[in-house]
Amino acid sequence: MTRHIATATLVVPDYDEAIGFYCGALGFELLEDTALPDGKRWVRVAPGPSGAALLLARADTDEQRNAIGNQTGGRVSFFLQTDDFDRDCARYAAAGVAFLEDPRQEAYGKVAVFRDPFGNKWDLIQPA
């Protein structure tokens, strides 16, 4: 049996704002944007054509709105692996991505933490 995680939900305040950040600043691909009943949309983005995608889900309740940017209790939520850390770090900085630290070298690779506009923490990482 072959299994993999295909999609993870990320609660956001607004579909278009999230698409703008992930597809604009980070260069993700918009895989799907389908209208659903009651003004909802099925919006999937990914850093490339294969691998896991993010389902951008607009918060509809107070509980969901309170979770925006803190879905993992302040820990890094996502790990964006790259084959060229310096290229992507420079591109993201030029696009206004908020890095929370300077790049550092760890035993497992080169890494820096950044935050999306909604408060979620990400690791940009190039494995050693």
Side-chain angles (χ1 to χ4, degrees):
M1 178 185 332
T2 301
R3 298 185 290 175
H4 66 276
I5 295 175
T7 307
T9 299
L10 181 62
V11 180
V12 297
D14 178 80
Y15 295 116
D16 294 322
E17 182 182 2
I19 291 169
F21 176 75
Y22 287 105
C23 295
L26 296 187
F28 283 24
E29 295 179 30
L30 179 61
L31 302 176
E32 186 175 1
D33 186 352
T34 302
L36 300 173
D38 300 326
K40 293 182 181 181
R41 290 158 57 185
W42 184 262
V43 178
R44 291 185 320 117
V45 299
S50 62
L54 291 177
L55 175 69
L56 304 177
R58 186 188 66 211
D60 288 330
T61 67
D62 287 340
E63 183 178 16
Q64 292 170 3
R65 282 185 282 280
N66 289 335
I68 293 171
N70 195 30
Q71 293 176 92
T72 58
R75 293 190 61 129
V76 170
S77 302
F78 301 98
F79 300 81
L80 183 58
Q81 186 171 311
T82 179
D83 63 350
D84 189 334
F85 181 91
D86 295 328
R87 173 200 64 211
D88 289 339
C89 193
R91 180 184 184 281
Y92 294 168
V97 173
F99 279 89
L100 303 179
E101 61 181 23
D102 290 330
R104 66 183 192 279
Q105 186 67 48
E106 298 288 349
Y108 53 84
K110 201 171 196 180
V111 64
V113 178
F114 68 90
R115 182 178 306 154
D116 70 17
F118 318 111
N120 300 294
K121 292 180 183 175
W122 286 72
D123 267 3
L124 175 63
I125 184 167
Q126 181 176 0

